[in-house]
Amino acid sequence: MANTYDDQNIFAKILRGEIPNNTVFENEHALAFRDLYPQAPDHVLVIPKGPYVCQDHFANAASDAEIVGFTRALGEVCKILGLADDAGNGYRCISNAGEDGVQEVLHLHVHILAGRPLGRMLQKA
Ligand code: DGP
């Protein structure tokens, strides 16, 4: 999978302020906002501000500061949603990549889903 970043993707437009979003949290390296098509009562997307296509691209190419900032943002969103430190009933993080992962937006994003029983991790295709 080529990690060629297209800056016309929808999340790049959100980062540039060209499209509105429902922001939950923001720091220097990451933005978290509510998914437009929520699949659970809480469905937040956390994205890095840098041009990374997917999780492996980010993990291999981002700076340490970006990785820390992004990871801290995940933690802050869990706090904001009342999920951190064993509060709440748990949650699931999903990061889809590529064709088999059925990634629709080619800018790295981690889905945080919570607020209802989420079922088994995978269904048979
Ligand atoms: P994925 O299949 O993992 O690439 O998920 C992409 C998600 O992005 C999907 O759950 C719907 C969400 N999404 C698509 N367009 C927009 C948008 O313009 N705003 C927001 N907030 N979410 C969007």
Side-chain angles (χ1 to χ4, degrees):
M1 192 168 69
N3 287 324
T4 306
Y5 186 81
D6 174 7
D7 70 3
Q8 292 308 305
N9 75 75
I10 203 93
F11 293 168
K13 291 180 180 179
I14 285 176
L15 283 168
R16 290 195 295 267
E18 296 167 13
I19 293 176
N21 74 92
N22 191 346
T23 298
V24 172
F25 178 80
E26 182 170 13
N27 65 19
E28 185 183 352
H29 295 295
L31 177 69
F33 52 92
R34 295 213 171 253
D35 195 292
L36 199 56
Y37 309 105
Q39 296 184 42
D42 281 318
H43 187 168
V44 173
L45 301 170
V46 186
I47 68 173
K49 290 187 174 177
Y52 303 105
V53 175
C54 60
Q55 193 76 61
D56 70 272
H57 187 203
F58 182 69
N60 289 320
S63 68
D64 289 0
E66 288 175 299
I67 291 170
V68 169
F70 181 70
T71 304
R72 293 287 187 217
L74 288 166
E76 291 298 328
V77 171
C78 286
K79 285 186 201 169
I80 290 165
L81 298 179
L83 300 167
D85 297 326
D86 290 333
N89 272 336
Y91 60 93
R92 181 171 295 152
C93 292
I94 298 173
S95 184
N96 297 317
E99 190 177 338
D100 282 358
V102 195
Q103 181 181 12
E104 292 169 10
V105 180
L106 298 182
H107 181 114
L108 169 61
H109 49 285
V110 172
H111 299 254
I112 301 178
L113 297 140
R116 68 167 174 82
L118 296 165
R120 303 285 299 180
M121 186 168 67
L122 291 177
Q123 296 176 342
K124 288 182 182 167

PDB file of all heavy atoms in Angstrom, residues 11 22-24 32-46 77 81 83 90-96 104 109-116 118:
ATOM      1  N   PHE A  11     -10.657  15.067   5.612  1.00  0.00           N
ATOM      2  CA  PHE A  11     -10.108  15.440   6.922  1.00  0.00           C
ATOM      3  C   PHE A  11      -9.031  16.523   6.784  1.00  0.00           C
ATOM      4  O   PHE A  11      -8.874  17.360   7.683  1.00  0.00           O
ATOM      5  CB  PHE A  11      -9.574  14.211   7.663  1.00  0.00           C
ATOM      6  CG  PHE A  11     -10.651  13.226   8.063  1.00  0.00           C
ATOM      7  CD1 PHE A  11     -10.319  11.953   8.506  1.00  0.00           C
ATOM      8  CD2 PHE A  11     -11.997  13.567   7.988  1.00  0.00           C
ATOM      9  CE1 PHE A  11     -11.315  11.049   8.865  1.00  0.00           C
ATOM     10  CE2 PHE A  11     -12.999  12.668   8.349  1.00  0.00           C
ATOM     11  CZ  PHE A  11     -12.658  11.404   8.779  1.00  0.00           C
ATOM     12  N   ASN A  22     -17.413  19.086  14.593  1.00  0.00           N
ATOM     13  CA  ASN A  22     -17.843  19.162  15.992  1.00  0.00           C
ATOM     14  C   ASN A  22     -16.662  18.732  16.863  1.00  0.00           C
ATOM     15  O   ASN A  22     -16.529  17.559  17.224  1.00  0.00           O
ATOM     16  CB  ASN A  22     -19.062  18.243  16.172  1.00  0.00           C
ATOM     17  CG  ASN A  22     -19.741  18.459  17.504  1.00  0.00           C
ATOM     18  OD1 ASN A  22     -19.182  19.085  18.396  1.00  0.00           O
ATOM     19  ND2 ASN A  22     -20.933  17.932  17.633  1.00  0.00           N
ATOM     20  N   THR A  23     -15.806  19.707  17.196  1.00  0.00           N
ATOM     21  CA  THR A  23     -14.555  19.393  17.893  1.00  0.00           C
ATOM     22  C   THR A  23     -14.803  18.961  19.329  1.00  0.00           C
ATOM     23  O   THR A  23     -15.576  19.572  20.060  1.00  0.00           O
ATOM     24  CB  THR A  23     -13.629  20.622  17.890  1.00  0.00           C
ATOM     25  OG1 THR A  23     -13.299  20.948  16.541  1.00  0.00           O
ATOM     26  CG2 THR A  23     -12.335  20.342  18.656  1.00  0.00           C
ATOM     27  N   VAL A  24     -14.113  17.890  19.714  1.00  0.00           N
ATOM     28  CA  VAL A  24     -14.157  17.388  21.091  1.00  0.00           C
ATOM     29  C   VAL A  24     -12.888  17.792  21.836  1.00  0.00           C
ATOM     30  O   VAL A  24     -12.926  18.139  23.017  1.00  0.00           O
ATOM     31  CB  VAL A  24     -14.313  15.843  21.086  1.00  0.00           C
ATOM     32  CG1 VAL A  24     -14.174  15.265  22.489  1.00  0.00           C
ATOM     33  CG2 VAL A  24     -15.647  15.449  20.464  1.00  0.00           C
ATOM     34  N   ALA A  32      -9.652  16.036  17.516  1.00  0.00           N
ATOM     35  CA  ALA A  32     -10.674  15.008  17.737  1.00  0.00           C
ATOM     36  C   ALA A  32     -12.040  15.641  17.538  1.00  0.00           C
ATOM     37  O   ALA A  32     -12.318  16.729  18.054  1.00  0.00           O
ATOM     38  CB  ALA A  32     -10.551  14.430  19.142  1.00  0.00           C
ATOM     39  N   PHE A  33     -12.879  14.973  16.756  1.00  0.00           N
ATOM     40  CA  PHE A  33     -14.206  15.520  16.460  1.00  0.00           C
ATOM     41  C   PHE A  33     -15.196  14.373  16.274  1.00  0.00           C
ATOM     42  O   PHE A  33     -14.809  13.223  16.023  1.00  0.00           O
ATOM     43  CB  PHE A  33     -14.164  16.401  15.201  1.00  0.00           C
ATOM     44  CG  PHE A  33     -13.540  15.738  13.988  1.00  0.00           C
ATOM     45  CD1 PHE A  33     -14.310  15.046  13.080  1.00  0.00           C
ATOM     46  CD2 PHE A  33     -12.170  15.803  13.786  1.00  0.00           C
ATOM     47  CE1 PHE A  33     -13.737  14.431  11.973  1.00  0.00           C
ATOM     48  CE2 PHE A  33     -11.577  15.185  12.674  1.00  0.00           C
ATOM     49  CZ  PHE A  33     -12.371  14.506  11.766  1.00  0.00           C
ATOM     50  N   ARG A  34     -16.471  14.705  16.393  1.00  0.00           N
ATOM     51  CA  ARG A  34     -17.509  13.668  16.301  1.00  0.00           C
ATOM     52  C   ARG A  34     -17.689  13.210  14.863  1.00  0.00           C
ATOM     53  O   ARG A  34     -17.668  14.016  13.932  1.00  0.00           O
ATOM     54  CB  ARG A  34     -18.821  14.195  16.882  1.00  0.00           C
ATOM     55  CG  ARG A  34     -18.687  14.479  18.372  1.00  0.00           C
ATOM     56  CD  ARG A  34     -19.956  14.234  19.149  1.00  0.00           C
ATOM     57  NE  ARG A  34     -19.678  14.326  20.588  1.00  0.00           N
ATOM     58  CZ  ARG A  34     -19.637  13.295  21.416  1.00  0.00           C
ATOM     59  NH1 ARG A  34     -19.896  12.074  20.973  1.00  0.00           N
ATOM     60  NH2 ARG A  34     -19.366  13.466  22.689  1.00  0.00           N
ATOM     61  N   ASP A  35     -17.861  11.890  14.704  1.00  0.00           N
ATOM     62  CA  ASP A  35     -18.107  11.318  13.372  1.00  0.00           C
ATOM     63  C   ASP A  35     -19.454  11.810  12.857  1.00  0.00           C
ATOM     64  O   ASP A  35     -20.437  11.888  13.595  1.00  0.00           O
ATOM     65  CB  ASP A  35     -18.086   9.785  13.469  1.00  0.00           C
ATOM     66  CG  ASP A  35     -17.957   9.125  12.110  1.00  0.00           C
ATOM     67  OD1 ASP A  35     -18.906   9.219  11.300  1.00  0.00           O
ATOM     68  OD2 ASP A  35     -16.899   8.511  11.855  1.00  0.00           O
ATOM     69  N   LEU A  36     -19.492  12.137  11.588  1.00  0.00           N
ATOM     70  CA  LEU A  36     -20.721  12.638  10.964  1.00  0.00           C
ATOM     71  C   LEU A  36     -21.806  11.568  10.913  1.00  0.00           C
ATOM     72  O   LEU A  36     -22.998  11.889  10.891  1.00  0.00           O
ATOM     73  CB  LEU A  36     -20.387  13.116   9.543  1.00  0.00           C
ATOM     74  CG  LEU A  36     -21.349  14.065   8.844  1.00  0.00           C
ATOM     75  CD1 LEU A  36     -21.603  15.314   9.671  1.00  0.00           C
ATOM     76  CD2 LEU A  36     -20.795  14.457   7.481  1.00  0.00           C
ATOM     77  N   TYR A  37     -21.387  10.309  10.872  1.00  0.00           N
ATOM     78  CA  TYR A  37     -22.340   9.191  10.787  1.00  0.00           C
ATOM     79  C   TYR A  37     -22.099   8.243  11.961  1.00  0.00           C
ATOM     80  O   TYR A  37     -21.570   7.134  11.782  1.00  0.00           O
ATOM     81  CB  TYR A  37     -22.170   8.450   9.457  1.00  0.00           C
ATOM     82  CG  TYR A  37     -22.194   9.362   8.255  1.00  0.00           C
ATOM     83  CD1 TYR A  37     -21.020   9.672   7.567  1.00  0.00           C
ATOM     84  CD2 TYR A  37     -23.379   9.950   7.833  1.00  0.00           C
ATOM     85  CE1 TYR A  37     -21.038  10.525   6.471  1.00  0.00           C
ATOM     86  CE2 TYR A  37     -23.398  10.810   6.738  1.00  0.00           C
ATOM     87  CZ  TYR A  37     -22.227  11.086   6.067  1.00  0.00           C
ATOM     88  OH  TYR A  37     -22.241  11.934   4.988  1.00  0.00           O
ATOM     89  N   PRO A  38     -22.473   8.661  13.186  1.00  0.00           N
ATOM     90  CA  PRO A  38     -22.100   7.884  14.379  1.00  0.00           C
ATOM     91  C   PRO A  38     -22.688   6.479  14.376  1.00  0.00           C
ATOM     92  O   PRO A  38     -23.845   6.278  14.033  1.00  0.00           O
ATOM     93  CB  PRO A  38     -22.655   8.731  15.536  1.00  0.00           C
ATOM     94  CG  PRO A  38     -23.660   9.639  14.928  1.00  0.00           C
ATOM     95  CD  PRO A  38     -23.247   9.856  13.516  1.00  0.00           C
ATOM     96  N   GLN A  39     -21.850   5.544  14.785  1.00  0.00           N
ATOM     97  CA  GLN A  39     -22.280   4.141  14.867  1.00  0.00           C
ATOM     98  C   GLN A  39     -22.433   3.691  16.312  1.00  0.00           C
ATOM     99  O   GLN A  39     -22.652   2.500  16.579  1.00  0.00           O
ATOM    100  CB  GLN A  39     -21.286   3.253  14.118  1.00  0.00           C
ATOM    101  CG  GLN A  39     -21.256   3.563  12.626  1.00  0.00           C
ATOM    102  CD  GLN A  39     -20.355   2.626  11.858  1.00  0.00           C
ATOM    103  OE1 GLN A  39     -20.346   1.431  12.091  1.00  0.00           O
ATOM    104  NE2 GLN A  39     -19.592   3.188  10.932  1.00  0.00           N
ATOM    105  N   ALA A  40     -22.333   4.623  17.232  1.00  0.00           N
ATOM    106  CA  ALA A  40     -22.542   4.365  18.655  1.00  0.00           C
ATOM    107  C   ALA A  40     -22.889   5.722  19.278  1.00  0.00           C
ATOM    108  O   ALA A  40     -22.627   6.771  18.662  1.00  0.00           O
ATOM    109  CB  ALA A  40     -21.280   3.782  19.287  1.00  0.00           C
ATOM    110  N   PRO A  41     -23.458   5.732  20.480  1.00  0.00           N
ATOM    111  CA  PRO A  41     -23.804   7.022  21.103  1.00  0.00           C
ATOM    112  C   PRO A  41     -22.611   7.972  21.174  1.00  0.00           C
ATOM    113  O   PRO A  41     -22.767   9.186  20.985  1.00  0.00           O
ATOM    114  CB  PRO A  41     -24.298   6.602  22.493  1.00  0.00           C
ATOM    115  CG  PRO A  41     -24.891   5.236  22.261  1.00  0.00           C
ATOM    116  CD  PRO A  41     -23.986   4.585  21.249  1.00  0.00           C
ATOM    117  N   ASP A  42     -21.450   7.457  21.475  1.00  0.00           N
ATOM    118  CA  ASP A  42     -20.221   8.243  21.355  1.00  0.00           C
ATOM    119  C   ASP A  42     -19.394   7.673  20.212  1.00  0.00           C
ATOM    120  O   ASP A  42     -19.045   6.479  20.214  1.00  0.00           O
ATOM    121  CB  ASP A  42     -19.405   8.207  22.649  1.00  0.00           C
ATOM    122  CG  ASP A  42     -19.969   9.159  23.693  1.00  0.00           C
ATOM    123  OD1 ASP A  42     -20.343  10.297  23.326  1.00  0.00           O
ATOM    124  OD2 ASP A  42     -20.053   8.763  24.865  1.00  0.00           O
ATOM    125  N   HIS A  43     -19.090   8.500  19.228  1.00  0.00           N
ATOM    126  CA  HIS A  43     -18.259   8.081  18.093  1.00  0.00           C
ATOM    127  C   HIS A  43     -17.405   9.287  17.703  1.00  0.00           C
ATOM    128  O   HIS A  43     -17.865  10.218  17.042  1.00  0.00           O
ATOM    129  CB  HIS A  43     -19.139   7.635  16.926  1.00  0.00           C
ATOM    130  CG  HIS A  43     -18.368   7.030  15.790  1.00  0.00           C
ATOM    131  ND1 HIS A  43     -18.977   6.349  14.753  1.00  0.00           N
ATOM    132  CD2 HIS A  43     -17.031   7.003  15.520  1.00  0.00           C
ATOM    133  CE1 HIS A  43     -18.049   5.933  13.895  1.00  0.00           C
ATOM    134  NE2 HIS A  43     -16.864   6.329  14.331  1.00  0.00           N
ATOM    135  N   VAL A  44     -16.169   9.227  18.171  1.00  0.00           N
ATOM    136  CA  VAL A  44     -15.240  10.339  17.964  1.00  0.00           C
ATOM    137  C   VAL A  44     -14.087   9.860  17.090  1.00  0.00           C
ATOM    138  O   VAL A  44     -13.603   8.732  17.238  1.00  0.00           O
ATOM    139  CB  VAL A  44     -14.730  10.870  19.327  1.00  0.00           C
ATOM    140  CG1 VAL A  44     -13.632  11.908  19.140  1.00  0.00           C
ATOM    141  CG2 VAL A  44     -15.895  11.454  20.132  1.00  0.00           C
ATOM    142  N   LEU A  45     -13.654  10.723  16.190  1.00  0.00           N
ATOM    143  CA  LEU A  45     -12.491  10.452  15.346  1.00  0.00           C
ATOM    144  C   LEU A  45     -11.319  11.289  15.844  1.00  0.00           C
ATOM    145  O   LEU A  45     -11.479  12.497  16.075  1.00  0.00           O
ATOM    146  CB  LEU A  45     -12.786  10.826  13.892  1.00  0.00           C
ATOM    147  CG  LEU A  45     -13.974  10.109  13.244  1.00  0.00           C
ATOM    148  CD1 LEU A  45     -14.304  10.764  11.899  1.00  0.00           C
ATOM    149  CD2 LEU A  45     -13.683   8.639  13.070  1.00  0.00           C
ATOM    150  N   VAL A  46     -10.175  10.650  16.028  1.00  0.00           N
ATOM    151  CA  VAL A  46      -8.960  11.371  16.418  1.00  0.00           C
ATOM    152  C   VAL A  46      -8.001  11.306  15.242  1.00  0.00           C
ATOM    153  O   VAL A  46      -7.716  10.213  14.727  1.00  0.00           O
ATOM    154  CB  VAL A  46      -8.316  10.757  17.670  1.00  0.00           C
ATOM    155  CG1 VAL A  46      -7.132  11.618  18.135  1.00  0.00           C
ATOM    156  CG2 VAL A  46      -9.338  10.610  18.797  1.00  0.00           C
ATOM    157  N   VAL A  77      -9.506  12.441  24.994  1.00  0.00           N
ATOM    158  CA  VAL A  77     -10.880  12.180  24.528  1.00  0.00           C
ATOM    159  C   VAL A  77     -11.549  11.155  25.446  1.00  0.00           C
ATOM    160  O   VAL A  77     -12.724  11.310  25.811  1.00  0.00           O
ATOM    161  CB  VAL A  77     -10.876  11.698  23.058  1.00  0.00           C
ATOM    162  CG1 VAL A  77     -12.258  11.216  22.638  1.00  0.00           C
ATOM    163  CG2 VAL A  77     -10.407  12.817  22.148  1.00  0.00           C
ATOM    164  N   LEU A  81     -15.006  11.839  27.422  1.00  0.00           N
ATOM    165  CA  LEU A  81     -16.186  10.980  27.235  1.00  0.00           C
ATOM    166  C   LEU A  81     -16.543  10.203  28.505  1.00  0.00           C
ATOM    167  O   LEU A  81     -17.527   9.457  28.520  1.00  0.00           O
ATOM    168  CB  LEU A  81     -15.950   9.993  26.083  1.00  0.00           C
ATOM    169  CG  LEU A  81     -15.725  10.601  24.694  1.00  0.00           C
ATOM    170  CD1 LEU A  81     -15.489   9.500  23.673  1.00  0.00           C
ATOM    171  CD2 LEU A  81     -16.914  11.471  24.274  1.00  0.00           C
ATOM    172  N   LEU A  83     -14.617   7.859  29.944  1.00  0.00           N
ATOM    173  CA  LEU A  83     -14.234   6.465  29.727  1.00  0.00           C
ATOM    174  C   LEU A  83     -12.900   6.115  30.376  1.00  0.00           C
ATOM    175  O   LEU A  83     -12.542   4.936  30.441  1.00  0.00           O
ATOM    176  CB  LEU A  83     -14.125   6.183  28.225  1.00  0.00           C
ATOM    177  CG  LEU A  83     -15.396   6.408  27.406  1.00  0.00           C
ATOM    178  CD1 LEU A  83     -15.071   6.412  25.921  1.00  0.00           C
ATOM    179  CD2 LEU A  83     -16.429   5.361  27.740  1.00  0.00           C
ATOM    180  N   GLY A  90     -16.527   0.910  29.007  1.00  0.00           N
ATOM    181  CA  GLY A  90     -15.553   0.481  28.010  1.00  0.00           C
ATOM    182  C   GLY A  90     -15.797   1.117  26.662  1.00  0.00           C
ATOM    183  O   GLY A  90     -16.755   1.865  26.450  1.00  0.00           O
ATOM    184  N   TYR A  91     -14.921   0.803  25.740  1.00  0.00           N
ATOM    185  CA  TYR A  91     -14.960   1.437  24.420  1.00  0.00           C
ATOM    186  C   TYR A  91     -14.142   0.604  23.450  1.00  0.00           C
ATOM    187  O   TYR A  91     -13.491  -0.380  23.845  1.00  0.00           O
ATOM    188  CB  TYR A  91     -14.410   2.862  24.496  1.00  0.00           C
ATOM    189  CG  TYR A  91     -12.984   2.948  24.979  1.00  0.00           C
ATOM    190  CD1 TYR A  91     -11.929   2.971  24.079  1.00  0.00           C
ATOM    191  CD2 TYR A  91     -12.682   2.988  26.350  1.00  0.00           C
ATOM    192  CE1 TYR A  91     -10.619   3.041  24.511  1.00  0.00           C
ATOM    193  CE2 TYR A  91     -11.383   3.050  26.790  1.00  0.00           C
ATOM    194  CZ  TYR A  91     -10.349   3.080  25.875  1.00  0.00           C
ATOM    195  OH  TYR A  91      -9.052   3.134  26.312  1.00  0.00           O
ATOM    196  N   ARG A  92     -14.150   1.001  22.194  1.00  0.00           N
ATOM    197  CA  ARG A  92     -13.323   0.335  21.180  1.00  0.00           C
ATOM    198  C   ARG A  92     -12.643   1.389  20.318  1.00  0.00           C
ATOM    199  O   ARG A  92     -13.296   2.365  19.904  1.00  0.00           O
ATOM    200  CB  ARG A  92     -14.181  -0.576  20.304  1.00  0.00           C
ATOM    201  CG  ARG A  92     -13.369  -1.317  19.226  1.00  0.00           C
ATOM    202  CD  ARG A  92     -14.211  -2.366  18.527  1.00  0.00           C
ATOM    203  NE  ARG A  92     -14.606  -3.407  19.454  1.00  0.00           N
ATOM    204  CZ  ARG A  92     -15.709  -4.150  19.348  1.00  0.00           C
ATOM    205  NH1 ARG A  92     -16.526  -3.969  18.334  1.00  0.00           N
ATOM    206  NH2 ARG A  92     -15.982  -5.075  20.239  1.00  0.00           N
ATOM    207  N   CYS A  93     -11.364   1.178  20.039  1.00  0.00           N
ATOM    208  CA  CYS A  93     -10.636   2.007  19.084  1.00  0.00           C
ATOM    209  C   CYS A  93     -10.435   1.198  17.801  1.00  0.00           C
ATOM    210  O   CYS A  93     -10.028   0.036  17.866  1.00  0.00           O
ATOM    211  CB  CYS A  93      -9.259   2.401  19.623  1.00  0.00           C
ATOM    212  SG  CYS A  93      -9.313   3.521  21.016  1.00  0.00           S
ATOM    213  N   ILE A  94     -10.717   1.829  16.679  1.00  0.00           N
ATOM    214  CA  ILE A  94     -10.556   1.170  15.377  1.00  0.00           C
ATOM    215  C   ILE A  94      -9.794   2.121  14.458  1.00  0.00           C
ATOM    216  O   ILE A  94     -10.106   3.308  14.404  1.00  0.00           O
ATOM    217  CB  ILE A  94     -11.921   0.856  14.725  1.00  0.00           C
ATOM    218  CG1 ILE A  94     -12.736  -0.104  15.592  1.00  0.00           C
ATOM    219  CG2 ILE A  94     -11.739   0.275  13.320  1.00  0.00           C
ATOM    220  CD1 ILE A  94     -14.162  -0.317  15.101  1.00  0.00           C
ATOM    221  N   SER A  95      -8.819   1.584  13.739  1.00  0.00           N
ATOM    222  CA  SER A  95      -8.128   2.367  12.726  1.00  0.00           C
ATOM    223  C   SER A  95      -8.083   1.545  11.442  1.00  0.00           C
ATOM    224  O   SER A  95      -7.305   0.605  11.320  1.00  0.00           O
ATOM    225  CB  SER A  95      -6.723   2.725  13.210  1.00  0.00           C
ATOM    226  OG  SER A  95      -6.093   3.552  12.265  1.00  0.00           O
ATOM    227  N   ASN A  96      -8.962   1.864  10.527  1.00  0.00           N
ATOM    228  CA  ASN A  96      -9.033   1.138   9.261  1.00  0.00           C
ATOM    229  C   ASN A  96      -7.918   1.592   8.328  1.00  0.00           C
ATOM    230  O   ASN A  96      -7.581   2.783   8.296  1.00  0.00           O
ATOM    231  CB  ASN A  96     -10.394   1.387   8.593  1.00  0.00           C
ATOM    232  CG  ASN A  96     -11.552   0.871   9.429  1.00  0.00           C
ATOM    233  OD1 ASN A  96     -11.484  -0.228   9.975  1.00  0.00           O
ATOM    234  ND2 ASN A  96     -12.606   1.657   9.549  1.00  0.00           N
ATOM    235  N   GLU A 104     -12.152   4.633   4.193  1.00  0.00           N
ATOM    236  CA  GLU A 104     -12.804   5.529   3.226  1.00  0.00           C
ATOM    237  C   GLU A 104     -12.070   6.862   3.104  1.00  0.00           C
ATOM    238  O   GLU A 104     -11.983   7.433   2.019  1.00  0.00           O
ATOM    239  CB  GLU A 104     -14.260   5.759   3.637  1.00  0.00           C
ATOM    240  CG  GLU A 104     -15.106   4.490   3.494  1.00  0.00           C
ATOM    241  CD  GLU A 104     -16.474   4.610   4.128  1.00  0.00           C
ATOM    242  OE1 GLU A 104     -16.857   5.723   4.526  1.00  0.00           O
ATOM    243  OE2 GLU A 104     -17.140   3.574   4.238  1.00  0.00           O
ATOM    244  N   HIS A 109      -7.061   8.101  10.933  1.00  0.00           N
ATOM    245  CA  HIS A 109      -8.017   8.434  11.988  1.00  0.00           C
ATOM    246  C   HIS A 109      -8.248   7.207  12.838  1.00  0.00           C
ATOM    247  O   HIS A 109      -8.305   6.085  12.329  1.00  0.00           O
ATOM    248  CB  HIS A 109      -9.340   8.958  11.423  1.00  0.00           C
ATOM    249  CG  HIS A 109      -9.926   8.125  10.337  1.00  0.00           C
ATOM    250  ND1 HIS A 109      -9.419   8.123   9.051  1.00  0.00           N
ATOM    251  CD2 HIS A 109     -10.971   7.266  10.332  1.00  0.00           C
ATOM    252  CE1 HIS A 109     -10.135   7.306   8.307  1.00  0.00           C
ATOM    253  NE2 HIS A 109     -11.082   6.757   9.056  1.00  0.00           N
ATOM    254  N   VAL A 110      -8.377   7.441  14.135  1.00  0.00           N
ATOM    255  CA  VAL A 110      -8.770   6.381  15.065  1.00  0.00           C
ATOM    256  C   VAL A 110     -10.193   6.673  15.494  1.00  0.00           C
ATOM    257  O   VAL A 110     -10.501   7.766  15.980  1.00  0.00           O
ATOM    258  CB  VAL A 110      -7.826   6.323  16.282  1.00  0.00           C
ATOM    259  CG1 VAL A 110      -8.363   5.350  17.326  1.00  0.00           C
ATOM    260  CG2 VAL A 110      -6.426   5.897  15.847  1.00  0.00           C
ATOM    261  N   HIS A 111     -11.066   5.701  15.268  1.00  0.00           N
ATOM    262  CA  HIS A 111     -12.442   5.807  15.749  1.00  0.00           C
ATOM    263  C   HIS A 111     -12.450   5.414  17.224  1.00  0.00           C
ATOM    264  O   HIS A 111     -11.908   4.366  17.583  1.00  0.00           O
ATOM    265  CB  HIS A 111     -13.361   4.811  15.033  1.00  0.00           C
ATOM    266  CG  HIS A 111     -13.469   4.966  13.551  1.00  0.00           C
ATOM    267  ND1 HIS A 111     -14.588   5.482  12.942  1.00  0.00           N
ATOM    268  CD2 HIS A 111     -12.612   4.643  12.546  1.00  0.00           C
ATOM    269  CE1 HIS A 111     -14.424   5.464  11.622  1.00  0.00           C
ATOM    270  NE2 HIS A 111     -13.234   4.965  11.356  1.00  0.00           N
ATOM    271  N   ILE A 112     -13.080   6.212  18.074  1.00  0.00           N
ATOM    272  CA  ILE A 112     -13.361   5.806  19.452  1.00  0.00           C
ATOM    273  C   ILE A 112     -14.876   5.644  19.551  1.00  0.00           C
ATOM    274  O   ILE A 112     -15.620   6.611  19.343  1.00  0.00           O
ATOM    275  CB  ILE A 112     -12.864   6.829  20.479  1.00  0.00           C
ATOM    276  CG1 ILE A 112     -11.350   7.034  20.347  1.00  0.00           C
ATOM    277  CG2 ILE A 112     -13.219   6.384  21.898  1.00  0.00           C
ATOM    278  CD1 ILE A 112     -10.778   8.069  21.309  1.00  0.00           C
ATOM    279  N   LEU A 113     -15.298   4.418  19.824  1.00  0.00           N
ATOM    280  CA  LEU A 113     -16.730   4.092  19.878  1.00  0.00           C
ATOM    281  C   LEU A 113     -17.092   3.673  21.290  1.00  0.00           C
ATOM    282  O   LEU A 113     -16.392   2.869  21.915  1.00  0.00           O
ATOM    283  CB  LEU A 113     -17.034   2.949  18.922  1.00  0.00           C
ATOM    284  CG  LEU A 113     -16.766   3.256  17.447  1.00  0.00           C
ATOM    285  CD1 LEU A 113     -16.159   2.068  16.745  1.00  0.00           C
ATOM    286  CD2 LEU A 113     -18.045   3.706  16.765  1.00  0.00           C
ATOM    287  N   ALA A 114     -18.216   4.185  21.797  1.00  0.00           N
ATOM    288  CA  ALA A 114     -18.623   3.859  23.168  1.00  0.00           C
ATOM    289  C   ALA A 114     -20.096   4.186  23.341  1.00  0.00           C
ATOM    290  O   ALA A 114     -20.721   4.827  22.498  1.00  0.00           O
ATOM    291  CB  ALA A 114     -17.783   4.660  24.167  1.00  0.00           C
ATOM    292  N   GLY A 115     -20.633   3.715  24.474  1.00  0.00           N
ATOM    293  CA  GLY A 115     -21.998   4.102  24.835  1.00  0.00           C
ATOM    294  C   GLY A 115     -23.030   3.023  24.594  1.00  0.00           C
ATOM    295  O   GLY A 115     -24.214   3.213  24.889  1.00  0.00           O
ATOM    296  N   ARG A 116     -22.605   1.893  24.051  1.00  0.00           N
ATOM    297  CA  ARG A 116     -23.492   0.732  23.901  1.00  0.00           C
ATOM    298  C   ARG A 116     -22.616  -0.507  23.772  1.00  0.00           C
ATOM    299  O   ARG A 116     -21.423  -0.389  23.424  1.00  0.00           O
ATOM    300  CB  ARG A 116     -24.388   0.866  22.673  1.00  0.00           C
ATOM    301  CG  ARG A 116     -23.669   0.799  21.345  1.00  0.00           C
ATOM    302  CD  ARG A 116     -24.652   0.625  20.194  1.00  0.00           C
ATOM    303  NE  ARG A 116     -24.037   0.699  18.887  1.00  0.00           N
ATOM    304  CZ  ARG A 116     -23.404  -0.309  18.264  1.00  0.00           C
ATOM    305  NH1 ARG A 116     -23.257  -1.471  18.871  1.00  0.00           N
ATOM    306  NH2 ARG A 116     -22.886  -0.148  17.063  1.00  0.00           N
ATOM    307  N   LEU A 118     -20.770  -3.205  22.009  1.00  0.00           N
ATOM    308  CA  LEU A 118     -20.275  -3.091  20.633  1.00  0.00           C
ATOM    309  C   LEU A 118     -20.158  -4.430  19.909  1.00  0.00           C
ATOM    310  O   LEU A 118     -19.741  -4.465  18.745  1.00  0.00           O
ATOM    311  CB  LEU A 118     -18.925  -2.374  20.646  1.00  0.00           C
ATOM    312  CG  LEU A 118     -19.015  -0.922  21.144  1.00  0.00           C
ATOM    313  CD1 LEU A 118     -17.628  -0.384  21.499  1.00  0.00           C
ATOM    314  CD2 LEU A 118     -19.694  -0.024  20.126  1.00  0.00           C
TER     315      LEU A 118
END
